[in-house]
Amino acid sequence: MAIKARETITIIKERDVNATWRFYRIASSSSTPSQPTEAQGKAYVNNQTVPSGWSISEPAYDGTSTNSLYTCDLTSFTDGEVSWSAVSKASSYEAAKQAYNEAQNAKKTATNFMSADSTGIMVADMRSGSQQTPSNPSGRNVLIDNDSVDIRRGCDILASFGENVVIGQPEGWHQRINSDETVFAYGSTVYTYLTPGKILSENIEVNGSYYLGAYSLRVAGDGKLVIGRRK
């Protein structure tokens, strides 16, 4: 008796990735560009013909563009076929654009409200475009130097805060306060002078008690000023 046998051989052709390229395109941030076609992909694989509107080199952010950078990857396979990835925004470009815009906003704020020269740093409202400097201010401003913070009108100091606190203009009525004394004066003329244990007011010196009508003014033993009714 004859025996017949049959054998089947299945041949499977597998494909592998041959190469991958990334393409770049700058376009409107509100409209994603179309994906290149399969024919354009094969044209690049065979002849290095870059699809229209796309670039094989990543462009740097130029500091002025409001558009976005898009990317699309082309993959070629060993069987001659190609495939394009979805078009997406480049996160690094978006980050660079955001950083630039924030830096520009910070620069604008500094230009509008801050100025500096050898006198110190001045804070003032310069949004009108006035070219003010700490040495040549034209309005109200705050000057910061190495020993005080001054509130000014132009170059006139209205109040100064440092080791000495001065409220008012030194050539007019003003008050000067520091750790040792409090002085009320007009120019260089002192009208009231207070220091621990002593008061001098318009040539009236108080070391103990001073009486004015039904009221008393005295310096207590701990240096405190006590004002009350006369006993």
Side-chain angles (χ1 to χ4, degrees):
M1 183 177 75
I3 299 176
K4 294 183 179 180
R6 185 175 66 181
E7 183 176 356
T8 301
I9 299 175
T10 302
I11 299 175
I12 300 175
K13 183 179 180 181
E14 294 186 354
R15 69 174 183 175
D16 199 1
V17 173
N18 182 45
T20 301
W21 300 269
R22 173 159 290 182
F23 292 82
Y24 303 89
R25 181 171 183 170
I26 293 178
S28 171
S29 299
S30 59
S31 179
T32 302
S34 300
Q35 184 187 70
T37 65
E38 180 180 347
Q40 288 176 315
K42 289 183 177 181
Y44 182 79
V45 172
N46 297 325
N47 305 309
Q48 284 70 58
T49 302
V50 178
S52 177
W54 293 84
S55 171
I56 198 67
S57 300
E58 181 177 5
Y61 182 63
D62 62 6
T64 60
S65 176
T66 58
N67 292 329
S68 292
L69 177 65
Y70 294 88
T71 63
C72 190
D73 294 337
L74 170 65
T75 301
S76 71
F77 299 95
T78 52
D79 62 358
E81 296 300 315
V82 297
S83 174
W84 289 98
S85 69
V87 177
S88 61
K89 286 184 180 180
S91 58
S92 59
Y93 190 88
E94 293 301 305
K97 185 167 65 174
Q98 180 180 354
Y100 177 84
N101 290 335
E102 290 177 353
Q104 288 299 105
N105 289 335
K107 179 181 177 181
K108 183 177 180 180
T109 299
T111 302
N112 287 342
F113 295 99
M114 298 183 69
S115 177
D117 62 15
S118 59
T119 303
I121 299 173
M122 182 182 73
V123 179
D125 189 347
M126 296 176 283
R127 287 174 292 180
S128 63
S130 59
Q131 300 298 316
Q132 300 183 54
T133 66
S135 301
N136 186 33
S138 60
R140 291 184 177 272
N141 63 88
V142 177
L143 175 67
I144 305 171
D145 57 25
N146 62 349
D147 60 7
S148 66
V149 176
D150 300 334
I151 311 299
R152 306 191 302 173
R153 182 174 55 236
C155 288
D156 294 334
I157 298 176
L158 305 179
S160 180
F161 301 87
E163 186 175 347
N164 288 292
V165 176
V166 180
I167 301 174
Q169 295 180 272
E171 62 272 16
W173 284 107
H174 66 278
Q175 179 181 0
R176 184 176 70 252
I177 305 169
N178 58 37
S179 59
D180 298 321
E181 62 185 13
T182 298
V183 174
F184 297 89
Y186 185 89
S188 59
T189 304
V190 175
Y191 286 88
T192 302
Y193 172 87
L194 293 87
T195 190
K198 185 177 182 180
I199 302 172
L200 178 63
S201 181
E202 294 189 76
N203 299 321
I204 300 174
E205 184 173 336
V206 179
N207 285 311
S209 297
Y210 174 74
Y211 298 99
L212 181 63
Y215 294 91
S216 66
L217 176 68
R218 64 187 178 86
V219 179
D222 58 3
K224 293 182 179 179
L225 175 64
V226 180
I227 301 175
R229 284 187 174 276
R230 182 175 182 178
K231 294 182 179 180

XYZ file of all heavy atoms in Angstrom, residues 124-197:
566
model
N 10.277 104.894 40.207
C 9.379 105.990 39.847
C 8.498 105.539 38.690
O 8.789 104.545 38.018
C 10.173 107.240 39.458
N 7.417 106.257 38.461
C 6.521 105.958 37.345
C 7.054 106.647 36.091
O 6.954 107.858 35.943
C 5.108 106.445 37.662
C 4.085 105.975 36.628
O 4.513 105.495 35.554
O 2.878 106.084 36.894
N 7.641 105.862 35.193
C 8.213 106.412 33.960
C 7.528 105.830 32.732
O 8.120 105.719 31.660
C 9.724 106.138 33.933
C 10.483 106.848 35.038
S 12.248 106.446 35.071
C 12.195 104.809 35.824
N 6.252 105.437 32.886
C 5.527 104.835 31.768
C 5.274 105.808 30.629
O 4.975 105.398 29.513
C 4.196 104.260 32.267
C 4.361 102.989 33.096
C 3.050 102.536 33.675
N 2.556 103.473 34.679
C 1.413 103.299 35.344
N 0.665 102.237 35.101
N 1.032 104.182 36.248
N 5.385 107.099 30.912
C 5.181 108.091 29.852
C 6.364 108.155 28.895
O 6.309 108.838 27.878
C 4.958 109.468 30.473
O 6.103 109.886 31.202
N 7.446 107.450 29.238
C 8.627 107.461 28.385
C 9.664 108.482 28.804
O 10.671 108.664 28.122
N 9.429 109.161 29.929
C 10.394 110.157 30.396
C 11.696 109.482 30.792
O 11.704 108.451 31.448
C 9.821 110.923 31.594
O 9.509 110.032 32.650
N 12.799 110.072 30.391
C 14.121 109.514 30.656
C 14.656 110.064 31.975
O 15.551 110.899 32.009
C 15.069 109.836 29.494
C 14.626 109.283 28.161
C 14.554 107.761 28.167
O 15.444 107.090 28.674
N 13.483 107.223 27.613
N 14.073 109.600 33.083
C 14.509 110.063 34.395
C 15.654 109.199 34.913
O 15.745 108.016 34.605
C 13.355 110.008 35.397
C 12.157 110.859 35.038
C 11.096 110.789 36.115
O 11.359 111.045 37.291
N 9.879 110.433 35.717
N 16.507 109.812 35.714
C 17.574 109.094 36.406
C 17.543 109.514 37.872
O 16.938 110.543 38.214
C 18.952 109.422 35.806
O 19.251 110.808 36.056
C 18.980 109.153 34.303
N 18.182 108.769 38.763
C 18.223 109.182 40.168
C 18.810 110.579 40.362
O 18.434 111.290 41.292
C 19.104 108.108 40.811
C 18.887 106.902 39.966
C 18.763 107.427 38.566
N 19.717 110.979 39.478
C 20.327 112.312 39.586
C 19.474 113.391 38.937
O 19.682 114.582 39.184
C 21.714 112.305 38.931
O 22.558 111.362 39.544
N 18.513 112.982 38.104
C 17.705 113.960 37.377
C 16.244 113.519 37.326
O 15.691 113.281 36.255
C 18.266 114.132 35.956
C 17.560 115.235 35.196
O 17.132 116.228 35.776
N 17.419 115.051 33.889
N 15.580 113.416 38.494
C 14.177 112.994 38.506
C 13.251 114.178 38.252
O 13.630 115.331 38.456
C 14.001 112.454 39.926
C 14.941 113.288 40.737
C 16.119 113.587 39.847
N 12.026 113.882 37.820
C 11.087 114.964 37.537
C 9.780 114.834 38.305
O 8.922 115.699 38.207
C 10.778 115.010 36.035
O 10.211 113.787 35.601
N 9.605 113.784 39.063
C 8.364 113.602 39.811
C 8.639 112.909 41.130
O 9.778 112.833 41.592
N 7.585 112.409 41.737
C 7.755 111.677 42.991
C 8.497 110.370 42.734
O 8.249 109.695 41.737
C 6.393 111.394 43.630
C 5.709 112.653 44.159
C 4.413 112.323 44.868
N 3.796 113.509 45.426
C 4.052 113.993 46.629
N 4.924 113.383 47.418
N 3.447 115.079 47.069
N 9.385 110.017 43.650
C 10.192 108.823 43.454
C 10.743 108.337 44.778
O 10.684 109.043 45.791
C 11.337 109.104 42.472
C 12.313 110.142 42.995
O 13.280 109.815 43.688
N 12.065 111.423 42.683
N 11.275 107.142 44.760
C 11.953 106.560 45.921
C 13.392 106.272 45.515
O 13.638 105.592 44.517
C 11.269 105.259 46.381
C 12.041 104.637 47.546
C 9.825 105.528 46.785
N 14.335 106.806 46.274
C 15.752 106.599 45.994
C 16.333 105.653 47.040
O 16.178 105.865 48.243
C 16.513 107.925 46.024
C 18.036 107.811 45.865
C 18.391 107.325 44.465
C 18.723 109.139 46.156
N 17.019 104.625 46.568
C 17.689 103.673 47.454
C 19.185 103.793 47.227
O 19.675 103.576 46.114
C 17.229 102.229 47.165
C 15.703 102.121 47.266
C 17.900 101.246 48.118
C 15.152 100.796 46.793
N 19.914 104.182 48.279
C 21.369 104.234 48.169
C 21.975 103.339 49.244
O 21.276 102.513 49.835
C 21.885 105.676 48.246
C 21.459 106.382 49.528
O 21.208 105.689 50.530
O 21.382 107.627 49.530
N 23.270 103.496 49.514
C 23.936 102.549 50.411
C 23.657 102.789 51.887
O 24.060 101.977 52.726
C 25.449 102.557 50.166
C 26.064 103.920 50.443
O 25.352 104.898 50.627
N 27.385 103.980 50.462
N 22.969 103.890 52.256
C 22.719 104.110 53.679
C 21.302 104.548 54.018
O 20.987 104.763 55.187
C 23.717 105.127 54.254
C 23.621 106.489 53.567
O 22.708 106.686 52.743
O 24.471 107.347 53.861
N 20.420 104.681 53.020
C 19.058 105.107 53.342
C 18.105 104.844 52.182
O 18.524 104.577 51.052
C 19.029 106.600 53.691
O 19.353 107.380 52.548
N 16.823 104.932 52.512
C 15.750 104.919 51.514
C 15.049 106.262 51.628
O 14.530 106.611 52.692
C 14.756 103.766 51.769
C 13.608 103.829 50.775
C 15.465 102.420 51.686
N 15.052 107.032 50.536
C 14.526 108.393 50.571
C 13.251 108.511 49.740
O 13.208 108.066 48.583
C 15.561 109.385 50.027
C 16.850 109.372 50.840
O 16.786 109.010 52.024
O 17.911 109.711 50.276
N 12.224 109.117 50.331
C 11.005 109.458 49.608
C 11.192 110.881 49.091
O 11.420 111.803 49.881
C 9.765 109.387 50.518
C 9.740 108.062 51.300
C 8.492 109.570 49.709
C 9.686 106.834 50.441
N 11.099 111.066 47.774
C 11.455 112.369 47.211
C 10.360 112.916 46.293
O 9.540 112.181 45.756
C 12.754 112.260 46.400
C 13.920 111.656 47.150
C 15.221 111.829 46.391
N 15.197 111.239 45.058
C 16.176 111.373 44.156
N 17.251 112.090 44.449
N 16.088 110.790 42.969
N 10.387 114.225 46.125
C 9.639 114.912 45.073
C 10.690 115.616 44.233
O 11.273 116.610 44.653
C 8.641 115.913 45.650
C 7.806 116.614 44.563
C 6.717 117.502 45.145
N 7.272 118.475 46.063
C 6.885 118.610 47.330
N 5.957 117.819 47.818
N 7.434 119.522 48.109
N 10.966 115.057 43.058
C 12.126 115.514 42.309
C 13.372 115.135 43.091
O 13.544 113.990 43.496
N 14.237 116.108 43.351
C 15.425 115.865 44.179
C 15.194 116.220 45.641
O 16.071 115.985 46.481
C 16.617 116.665 43.636
S 17.291 116.028 42.083
N 14.023 116.822 45.958
C 13.725 117.213 47.334
C 13.346 115.980 48.153
O 12.443 115.221 47.770
C 12.577 118.225 47.374
C 12.957 119.544 46.720
O 14.161 119.855 46.695
O 12.047 120.243 46.224
N 14.012 115.794 49.278
C 13.744 114.655 50.149
C 12.589 114.993 51.084
O 12.668 115.939 51.871
C 14.997 114.277 50.959
C 16.134 113.867 50.018
C 14.681 113.150 51.933
C 17.445 113.578 50.722
N 11.505 114.218 50.998
C 10.345 114.415 51.859
C 10.460 113.590 53.135
O 9.959 113.981 54.187
C 9.063 114.038 51.116
C 8.832 114.756 49.775
C 7.542 114.265 49.145
C 8.804 116.268 49.972
N 11.095 112.445 53.051
C 11.333 111.593 54.218
C 12.503 110.680 53.899
O 12.695 110.277 52.748
C 10.094 110.772 54.567
N 13.295 110.392 54.934
C 14.469 109.546 54.747
C 14.501 108.497 55.847
O 14.282 108.806 57.022
C 15.746 110.398 54.793
O 16.897 109.592 54.624
N 14.762 107.250 55.465
C 14.773 106.147 56.417
C 16.118 105.434 56.342
O 16.463 104.829 55.327
C 13.634 105.166 56.112
C 12.274 105.799 56.160
C 11.741 106.419 55.032
C 11.543 105.811 57.332
C 10.492 107.020 55.070
C 10.291 106.412 57.385
C 9.764 107.022 56.252
N 16.879 105.548 57.422
C 18.187 104.914 57.504
C 18.584 104.827 58.962
O 17.750 104.566 59.841
N 19.854 105.061 59.272
C 20.271 105.112 60.671
C 19.544 106.243 61.388
O 19.208 106.146 62.561
C 21.783 105.309 60.743
C 22.340 105.239 62.153
C 23.852 105.320 62.177
O 24.482 105.187 61.109
O 24.403 105.512 63.280
N 19.307 107.338 60.666
C 18.439 108.421 61.123
C 17.176 108.415 60.271
O 17.247 108.272 59.050
C 19.125 109.785 60.977
C 20.233 109.980 61.990
O 19.989 110.089 63.175
N 21.468 110.003 61.497
N 16.024 108.564 60.917
C 14.765 108.707 60.199
C 14.401 110.181 60.207
O 14.276 110.788 61.272
C 13.647 107.871 60.851
C 12.319 108.118 60.139
C 14.006 106.394 60.821
N 14.260 110.766 59.038
C 13.926 112.187 58.922
C 12.619 112.308 58.160
O 12.503 111.837 57.024
C 15.040 112.970 58.195
C 14.660 114.444 58.096
C 16.370 112.806 58.913
N 11.635 112.937 58.796
C 10.344 113.172 58.154
C 10.207 114.666 57.929
O 10.241 115.452 58.873
C 9.191 112.642 59.025
C 9.371 111.141 59.275
C 7.840 112.916 58.368
C 8.369 110.550 60.233
N 10.063 115.056 56.682
C 10.040 116.467 56.322
C 11.367 116.881 55.716
O 12.354 116.147 55.772
N 11.395 118.057 55.122
C 12.611 118.536 54.484
C 13.528 119.180 55.520
O 13.085 120.013 56.320
C 12.270 119.536 53.386
C 11.492 118.894 52.234
C 11.160 119.894 51.147
O 10.139 120.557 51.201
N 12.042 120.003 50.170
N 14.805 118.811 55.533
C 15.736 119.307 56.559
C 15.825 120.826 56.627
O 16.089 121.381 57.693
C 17.076 118.696 56.127
C 16.702 117.472 55.362
C 15.444 117.831 54.639
N 15.590 121.523 55.515
C 15.681 122.986 55.552
C 14.400 123.630 56.075
O 14.365 124.841 56.306
C 16.006 123.539 54.158
C 14.961 123.252 53.108
C 15.191 121.920 52.412
O 15.958 121.093 52.944
O 14.605 121.726 51.332
N 13.332 122.840 56.274
C 12.074 123.353 56.823
C 11.720 122.609 58.097
O 12.589 122.101 58.807
N 10.415 122.573 58.399
C 9.981 121.809 59.566
C 10.226 120.324 59.317
O 9.854 119.788 58.286
C 8.496 122.036 59.833
C 8.189 123.362 60.472
C 7.606 124.437 59.882
C 8.459 123.731 61.825
N 7.484 125.482 60.770
C 8.003 125.076 61.983
C 9.035 123.086 62.918
C 8.112 125.767 63.182
C 9.143 123.773 64.122
C 8.688 125.099 64.251
N 10.834 119.668 60.288
C 11.096 118.241 60.141
C 11.271 117.586 61.503
O 11.463 118.265 62.521
C 12.351 118.000 59.289
C 13.617 118.474 59.925
N 14.023 119.801 59.885
C 14.577 117.811 60.641
C 15.177 119.929 60.535
N 15.534 118.734 60.999
N 11.188 116.281 61.489
C 11.405 115.480 62.691
C 12.511 114.485 62.400
O 12.502 113.815 61.362
C 10.118 114.736 63.074
C 10.260 113.844 64.300
C 8.962 113.121 64.629
O 7.960 113.294 63.943
N 8.979 112.310 65.670
N 13.462 114.390 63.305
C 14.578 113.458 63.146
C 14.588 112.483 64.318
O 14.539 112.894 65.483
C 15.908 114.208 63.077
C 17.104 113.289 62.815
C 18.392 114.074 62.650
N 18.860 114.675 63.896
C 18.813 115.974 64.165
N 18.303 116.816 63.274
N 19.265 116.450 65.309
N 14.648 111.195 63.998
C 14.593 110.160 65.034
C 15.751 109.199 64.829
O 16.017 108.755 63.708
C 13.264 109.367 64.959
C 12.063 110.315 65.033
C 13.188 108.317 66.061
C 10.745 109.640 64.708
N 16.447 108.892 65.917
C 17.433 107.815 65.882
C 17.420 107.112 67.233
O 16.541 107.357 68.061
C 18.833 108.336 65.507
C 19.334 109.400 66.460
O 19.098 109.331 67.669
N 20.033 110.399 65.918
N 18.365 106.245 67.466
C 18.346 105.449 68.696
C 18.651 106.276 69.939
O 18.403 105.827 71.063
C 19.353 104.298 68.590
O 20.665 104.802 68.372
N 19.178 107.495 69.770
C 19.569 108.317 70.915
C 18.615 109.463 71.206
O 18.529 109.929 72.348
C 20.971 108.903 70.691
C 22.030 107.821 70.575
O 21.937 106.830 71.329
O 22.933 107.967 69.732
N 17.900 109.953 70.185
C 17.131 111.174 70.394
C 16.005 111.309 69.379
O 15.992 110.646 68.340
C 18.049 112.393 70.267
C 18.679 112.512 68.889
C 19.685 113.640 68.772
O 20.085 114.170 69.818
O 20.066 113.976 67.635
N 15.065 112.190 69.733
C 14.016 112.627 68.815
C 14.042 114.148 68.801
O 14.000 114.786 69.858
C 12.630 112.132 69.264
O 12.625 110.705 69.253
C 11.541 112.642 68.326
N 14.130 114.723 67.614
C 14.281 116.167 67.486
C 13.193 116.712 66.567
O 12.951 116.158 65.487
C 15.668 116.533 66.917
C 15.762 118.029 66.649
C 16.762 116.095 67.877
N 12.523 117.795 67.016
C 11.607 118.548 66.171
C 12.287 119.880 65.894
O 12.641 120.613 66.827
C 10.267 118.772 66.873
C 9.528 117.488 67.166
C 9.750 116.809 68.354
C 8.630 116.967 66.252
C 9.078 115.630 68.631
C 7.955 115.786 66.525
C 8.178 115.107 67.711
N 12.469 120.204 64.617
C 13.253 121.400 64.303
C 12.745 122.067 63.035
O 12.004 121.476 62.243
C 14.722 121.029 64.145
N 13.158 123.318 62.883
C 12.951 124.042 61.632
C 14.332 124.424 61.128
O 15.021 125.247 61.733
C 12.099 125.292 61.837
C 11.777 125.999 60.531
C 10.646 125.659 59.798
C 12.624 126.985 60.027
C 10.350 126.283 58.600
C 12.346 127.616 58.823
C 11.206 127.261 58.108
O 10.930 127.871 56.913
N 14.749 123.801 60.036
C 16.115 123.997 59.584
C 17.078 123.497 60.645
O 16.965 122.379 61.139
N 18.000 124.357 61.063
C 18.968 123.973 62.092
C 18.514 124.364 63.496
O 19.205 124.085 64.478
C 20.326 124.625 61.793
O 20.201 126.040 61.764
N 17.342 125.024 63.603
C 16.838 125.465 64.905
C 16.001 124.367 65.538
O 14.974 123.951 64.987
C 15.990 126.741 64.763
O 16.767 127.757 64.124
C 15.530 127.227 66.124
N 16.437 123.887 66.696
C 15.738 122.815 67.398
C 14.703 123.425 68.333
O 15.022 124.285 69.153
C 16.731 121.945 68.197
C 15.981 120.904 69.017
C 17.724 121.281 67.254
N 13.446 122.976 68.220
C 12.383 123.473 69.076
C 12.000 122.471 70.157
O 11.610 122.858 71.249
C 11.154 123.838 68.233
C 11.357 125.120 67.466
C 11.939 125.108 66.199
C 10.997 126.345 68.015
C 12.144 126.282 65.500
C 11.204 127.531 67.324
C 11.779 127.496 66.062
O 11.991 128.664 65.379
N 12.080 121.212 69.857
C 11.804 120.189 70.864
C 12.832 119.081 70.714
O 13.086 118.601 69.610
C 10.390 119.600 70.705
O 9.436 120.654 70.789
C 10.096 118.574 71.795
N 13.394 118.702 71.868
C 14.462 117.700 71.872
C 14.152 116.696 72.968
O 13.973 117.067 74.130
C 15.795 118.404 72.131
C 16.977 117.499 72.350
C 17.717 117.026 71.276
C 17.369 117.136 73.644
C 18.819 116.210 71.485
C 18.463 116.319 73.851
C 19.186 115.857 72.766
O 20.272 115.047 72.970
N 14.030 115.434 72.591
C 13.739 114.400 73.570
C 14.858 113.370 73.547
O 15.257 112.891 72.482
C 12.411 113.690 73.262
C 11.118 114.501 73.386
C 10.812 115.218 72.086
C 9.962 113.576 73.755
N 15.343 113.058 74.744
C 16.339 112.008 74.894
C 16.047 111.326 76.222
O 15.388 111.928 77.091
C 17.762 112.593 74.860
O 18.719 111.537 74.768
C 18.049 113.429 76.091
N 16.429 110.086 76.441
C 16.096 109.407 77.700
C 16.469 110.229 78.926
O 17.621 110.625 79.107
C 16.912 108.115 77.619
C 17.009 107.839 76.155
C 17.146 109.194 75.523
N 15.461 110.572 79.753
C 15.688 111.314 80.986
C 15.672 112.816 80.842
O 15.850 113.541 81.813
